[in-house]
Amino acid sequence: MEKHVQVLLNKISYASITIATLTLLLFCIQTPQTCFDSSDPNSNSHTHFPKSTCDLTHRPYASIEKRNHRLWSTKAWVKAVSSYTSLFRDFYALGYISNQSHILIVSAGPGQAVQALNGLGVEEITAVEVVESPPLVSRADPHNLPFFDGSFDLGFGVYLDRALFPKRYVEQIERTVKIGGLCVVSVDQCDEDQAMKIVRLFSKSQFVASPDVYLAGERRTAIVMRVN
């Protein structure tokens, strides 16, 4: 009697395994209704399940020009460019830069400072960031700038306070600015004592000024140094 029961249980187990296997195979080869367009006469409900939505849904390629147009027309972008324009106008008034200046922007982000300088008439602008944003910003490590010594009239480090190695960051900007040129670094708004700690990061430049500025929605302090 026990032997007959065991045989029956084995048959039930085999049947269950077979049903489960067939069900799994059906799920693997059949695409759910939500994953294909039922109105498309060429759609095949038995195609393999797509690896991603991109396998099925056509997404037109957006050119760099189109992406930049969308970015540059946002209110945040326009306000950021306006804030940099205000800063650079002050630089013009103080004689720090002119339309003939060759300017380096480090930690340039997507390039608001570059666009501001372009709008003011500066033609020679080199901007770098760890992630490039063509056509305004190229890719480079701010701690190892790929430029010759004394290449620029002014070097502007937008975010010294976010650098991994502040001393190295300052040294690289200072190295690439010609004698008599200016190094400018920006940090979170700080008092005079804190500004002097930043000044000591420079090894061959003289302190000029440390005005408080407003950049891209942030209150910051710009440390201006002249290379000796």
Side-chain angles (χ1 to χ4, degrees), residues 37-80:
D37 185 359
S38 59
S39 64
D40 184 359
N42 296 318
S43 65
N44 184 357
S45 62
H46 294 286
T47 56
H48 289 290
F49 195 91
K51 295 179 181 179
S52 73
T53 56
C54 295
D55 291 345
L56 189 67
T57 305
H58 174 66
R59 297 188 179 184
Y61 170 75
S63 65
I64 292 176
E65 291 77 12
K66 186 175 291 186
R67 293 199 300 269
N68 284 341
H69 176 73
R70 287 199 296 263
L71 174 63
W72 298 347
S73 61
T74 61
K75 290 182 179 180
W77 179 275
V78 173
K79 290 177 73 172

Side-chain angles (χ1 to χ4, degrees), residues 116-131:
L117 286 167
N118 282 330
L120 291 171
V122 179
E123 296 181 357
E124 288 194 88
I125 309 163
T126 301
V128 297
E129 180 58 273
V130 292
V131 178

Side-chain angles (χ1 to χ4, degrees), residues 179-224:
I179 294 175
L182 291 168
C183 299
V184 182
V185 293
S186 165
V187 297
D188 280 334
Q189 191 172 40
C190 63
D191 59 26
E192 185 176 347
D193 290 339
Q194 292 171 315
M196 289 303 105
K197 291 180 181 179
I198 297 167
V199 168
R200 286 193 285 273
L201 294 175
F202 292 83
S203 61
K204 56 179 184 178
S205 300
Q206 181 180 358
F207 175 72
V208 176
S210 57
D212 290 334
V213 297
Y214 188 76
L215 295 177
E218 299 180 6
R219 297 191 180 280
R220 303 181 65 77
T221 297
I223 314 298
V224 183

Side-chain angles (χ1 to χ4, degrees), residues 86-97 154 156 184 211 222 224:
S86 178
L87 173 68
F88 294 136
R89 278 180 179 152
D90 290 343
F91 284 5
Y92 268 92
L94 292 166
Y96 293 169
I97 59 174
L154 182 141
F156 181 25
V184 182
V224 183

Side-chain angles (χ1 to χ4, degrees), residues 115-157:
Q115 200 170 84
L117 286 167
N118 282 330
L120 291 171
V122 179
E123 296 181 357
E124 288 194 88
I125 309 163
T126 301
V128 297
E129 180 58 273
V130 292
V131 178
E132 67 177 358
S133 297
L136 300 179
V137 181
S138 301
R139 181 175 177 270
D141 180 1
H143 303 94
N144 188 26
L145 295 174
F147 308 115
F148 291 116
D149 295 0
S151 298
F152 302 97
D153 298 299
L154 182 141
F156 181 25

